[in-house]
Each structure stands twice: as C-alpha cells, then as structure tokens.
Amino acid sequence: MNLKMDFRGGSGQPAAAVVPEWLFRQGLETSARPKWLTWLMAFAVGLSLFAVLSQLRIMLPWTPVPITGQTFAALFVALVWGRVQGTLVAATHMLLVAPLFGLYGSLMALQPTMGYLMGMLAATFVVGSLADRGWSKTWLGSITSVLIGTGLIYAFGLAFLSFYIPSGQLLSMGLWPFLIGDLAKALFAASLALKLRQKLT
C-alpha cells in the first residue's frame, strides 16, 4: 500500500476533511457566508453525530464499562473530519456537551470508565492525524488506522480501570466482553468513512 498520497483537497483542507470539503464545494463559502461559518457548520454536523451515537449505551451487570456507540463515533469522526476538527468535536462533546446535559450520569459512576473516554480522545487525535496523511483514502489504511485507535482506547481504558477492580478480573470486565463488538464497530467505521469519501469526492 502506498500511503504517500496527495493529502489535501482543492480548498486546502486536509485529506480527511470529507464533509467540510464537500460543504465548501456546495457554494456555501460565499461573501455572505464566510469560510469560518462553513467550518462551523461542519463542526456542528460532527458534534451532532457524536452526540447521537454516544447515546447508544448498554450496561452489563458484571462490569461498570458499558457497550456504547461512542467508540464508533470517535473513530468515524476522526477518519472523516481529520485531526483538528475531529479532536475538537470529540473534546467538545466529552468535556462540555455531555457533562452539561448529564449524558454520562454521576461523576462517581463515571470514574472507572474515565480511561476509555481519555482513550477515545487520544484515538481521535491519532486516527485523525493518520487520516490527514492520506491513510483514510484506502481500505488498508483506514483499517490500520481504526485498529490503532481501538488499541489506544483499550490501553487507556484498562490502565485506568485497573485502579478500581482486582487485576485478575481486569480483562474479563474491561476487554473480552467488548472486543468483538469494538472490532466490528471499527471495521464498520472504516468502511462507512471510505464509502462516504468515495461518494462525496
């Protein structure tokens, strides 16, 4: 796979910024609607998508870690919006929108899973950086990116969770119940992002 590609679109956007680039091409960047406002529209679309997907939560009786659509959101937004916009979307949702509207519940209930949230933020930054370098333009590059991102989420999540549960139960409560589902979400995020790119570019 040749990952050395043309990393920027016609308007100078990073290679990953599919939705912002598409909005620019629709003639939305005019004298009456400047570039920053178009960028803000793209940011609002990403934030809305992240917020909706984050509400998909299933609690399991033996672990404080939920099954959630937020992992898919972090990877997909990173692939499609890129490092800067993707990370800003994720950070705004996690640090402002979700706490403001109580989407994560109480702080005490959130503490064991804080590592996963930090991992998602790190994954958005890293996967977005890879996408900006052109990795999201190919199937292999997209898959590699989301697998790296998934690994980061687990690395942060398990490290933080280890302070709250016995080490012998760490993998059974923080990894094995979620691994297949998270790999499926990662593959779906990569596939959907690649198809979206092909459709909009």
Side-chain angles (χ1 to χ4, degrees):
M1 176 184 62
N2 182 13
L3 297 178
K4 294 183 179 180
M5 307 176 183
D6 179 11
F7 301 154
R8 295 185 173 272
S11 66
Q13 291 293 306
V18 179
V19 172
E21 176 77 6
W22 180 80
L23 287 174
F24 291 143
R25 291 205 313 272
Q26 304 314 301
L28 295 177
E29 183 186 346
T30 65
S31 58
R33 183 177 288 154
K35 184 174 183 178
W36 68 265
L37 185 56
T38 307
W39 187 94
L40 188 61
M41 292 170 61
F43 172 79
V45 172
L47 188 60
S48 300
L49 179 65
F50 208 104
V52 170
L53 291 174
S54 297
Q55 297 314 296
L56 303 177
R57 295 169 62 87
I58 301 174
M59 296 303 302
L60 302 177
W62 65 87
T63 174
V65 183
I67 297 173
T68 174
Q70 197 164 213
T71 50
F72 171 86
L75 298 173
F76 179 74
V77 167
L79 285 173
V80 178
W81 269 257
R83 181 187 65 211
V84 175
Q85 290 171 316
T87 304
L88 186 58
V89 165
T92 301
H93 173 79
M94 293 180 186
L95 302 178
L96 181 62
V97 176
L100 183 63
F101 291 97
L103 301 182
Y104 290 147
S106 68
L107 180 60
M108 291 300 295
L110 177 62
Q111 285 179 359
T113 62
M114 279 293 293
Y116 293 95
L117 296 178
M118 291 187 290
M120 290 177 204
L121 199 55
T124 304
F125 181 87
V126 172
V127 174
S129 297
L130 295 175
D132 286 349
R133 292 177 176 273
W135 288 40
S136 60
K137 289 184 175 181
T138 67
W139 169 251
L140 184 56
S142 296
I143 291 297
T144 303
S145 298
V146 295
L147 291 180
I148 292 173
T150 301
L152 279 172
I153 293 171
Y154 277 117
F156 277 82
L158 292 172
F160 204 86
L161 187 63
S162 66
F163 290 102
Y164 293 89
I165 63 175
S167 59
Q169 301 178 20
L170 184 62
L171 297 183
S172 63
M173 295 179 70
L175 175 64
W176 303 131
F178 312 100
L179 187 58
I180 294 179
D182 281 338
L183 289 177
K185 284 183 284 186
L187 295 178
F188 182 52
S191 300
L192 186 61
L194 192 58
K195 289 182 180 180
L196 185 64
R197 168 179 294 283
Q198 293 170 348
K199 185 177 181 63
L200 298 184
T201 59

